[in-house]
Every structure is written in structure tokens, then in C-alpha cells.
Amino acid sequence: MRRLWKKTSWGGYFDLGKMLHVPERHRGTVQLEMPIDLFRTIQSKELSGSFIRWAWVRGIFGAVGSVFFPKRGYYFLFRVPYDEILTGLKDHLQKNDLSVSYRRGSGCVEAMVRGQNDIVDLMIGMGLPDAALKMEEKAIVRSMRDRANRLVNCDASNIRKTVDAARRQIALATFLKKNGHEDELPPDLAELIDLRIANPSASLNELGSAMNSPVSKSTVTYRWKKILSIAETYGFSYDD
């Protein structure tokens, strides 16, 4: 506030130190008592110049601003209690091309900035580059963590699907061999069920590559469908 005070037109007429009232033993609330005309001037848009305007916005942030980090994304919020201050804040944010949404709450208007780039620009404008850098670092870490979680979940899902498919194929192959139907299968299908029993954890790609005449995953899938169709004519069912 002292930085701002020296840049204003009233800084030479009013002593900030004399208007500040600090409680004894520094317990309680620091109060600023000023003439009503000065108070109305501060609420208005009398400030000019980029430095002064940003310092003014920083003062508003110190009083009614917050940064929130929910589970997804994050947002910057001003809870502005006075229309006069809101008017100046809107004007400044719009002039700096910051995307802001507004909604009226209980006793105030909430001005919300959601975009990461806009929030960083806002914090840098207020002279908080270190805080902006920490926030970007936090966003990067969160993005990397979320990506890692998605990859892990995707891998886990693929593993479950592979294991389930292998279990069903082993049951199918075992049924055919146990009931003596393997010899009735074409050589490529008979080879496939033998490979499955010998390699219970192999993927379809791996099974296809391991065949005497390597084939693609789609070909292996097609052959398993043929094997299932043949087994069903002998009474096979996965419910058994």
C-alpha cells in the first residue's frame, strides 16, 4: 500500500502513517482511518498509469482475492463488495484482454478468472511473478500426474481385458482337447489353441507372431471366432 500511496495524487497531502492504527502488542485488526473524500477518491477510477492500476488491483486481491485449486483446473476469484470498486476492476481487466465471468453472491459480486494463461498474466501484472511460476509448476505437475494416472488405468484395463480373453480362450482350447475335437480342426486353428495353452499370458499379437506362419492380431481374433463357432457345435458354452 505504501508503494501505491507514493504514486497517487493525494500522496503528498495525506500521511499514510498517521492514518494507520495498529493495535497494541500487534493483536487485532490494523485499521486505516481517512477523510471521507479521500475514501471516495480511492474507490473511484482516479488512478492512472499501468503501474498504479496494477498496484490497485493487487490491493484488491490482498483484500478480497483468492486462488482455488479444485480437483480439476483452478480459478482466480475476487469477491468485490462495492460496485465502485467492481467498475474499476472490470475496466482494468477488460483493457488487459483477460476473460472474466461475473456472478452476484451474498453481499458481493464474484469476478472469476479461469484460464491458466489469463491467471498467470493477472498475477504477473500484479507483480507476483514467483507466485505465478509456482502455480504453473503446480499445474504442470498436476497435468503429468493426471496423464500418468490415465496411462496406468488404461494399462490396467488392457491387462484385465487380455487376462479375461486368455482365460476364455484357454477354457475353449481345453474343452476341444479334452473332448478329442482338436484333431478335427484345420491345422492353423489347432496350432492356435496349442499356443494358447502353452502361453496363457500372451497377448493376441504375441500369439500371432509365435505361429509358424505369423499373422496379425485381427487374423488371430478371426480364428478364435471360428474356433468358438466350431466348439459351440459340440455343446461348448462359457457358462459351463
Side-chain angles (χ1 to χ4, degrees), residues 177-203:
K177 292 178 72 70
K178 182 179 178 180
N179 292 277
H181 301 304
E182 181 182 13
D183 295 338
E184 302 173 26
L185 296 176
D188 55 346
L189 302 186
E191 180 188 5
L192 185 56
I193 66 172
D194 287 338
L195 280 173
R196 171 50 79 196
I197 292 176
N199 302 276
S201 62
S203 66

Side-chain angles (χ1 to χ4, degrees), residues 199-225:
N199 302 276
S201 62
S203 66
L204 296 183
N205 276 327
E206 291 169 339
L207 287 179
S209 298
M211 298 193 71
N212 291 330
S213 298
V215 295
S216 65
K217 176 182 176 180
S218 60
T219 300
V220 174
T221 301
Y222 172 73
R223 290 181 180 179
W224 275 116
K225 290 179 179 179

Side-chain angles (χ1 to χ4, degrees), residues 94-135:
Q94 289 174 357
K95 284 181 178 179
N96 286 275
D97 298 321
L98 299 175
S99 299
V100 188
S101 61
Y102 301 91
R103 66 182 181 185
R104 188 164 292 277
S106 56
C108 68
V109 174
E110 295 181 345
M112 187 181 302
V113 181
R114 284 189 175 275
Q116 178 181 343
N117 292 335
D118 285 341
I119 293 175
V120 170
D121 289 345
L122 177 58
M123 298 184 79
I124 290 176
M126 290 190 298
L128 302 171
D130 291 342
L133 180 59
K134 288 180 180 179
M135 190 184 68

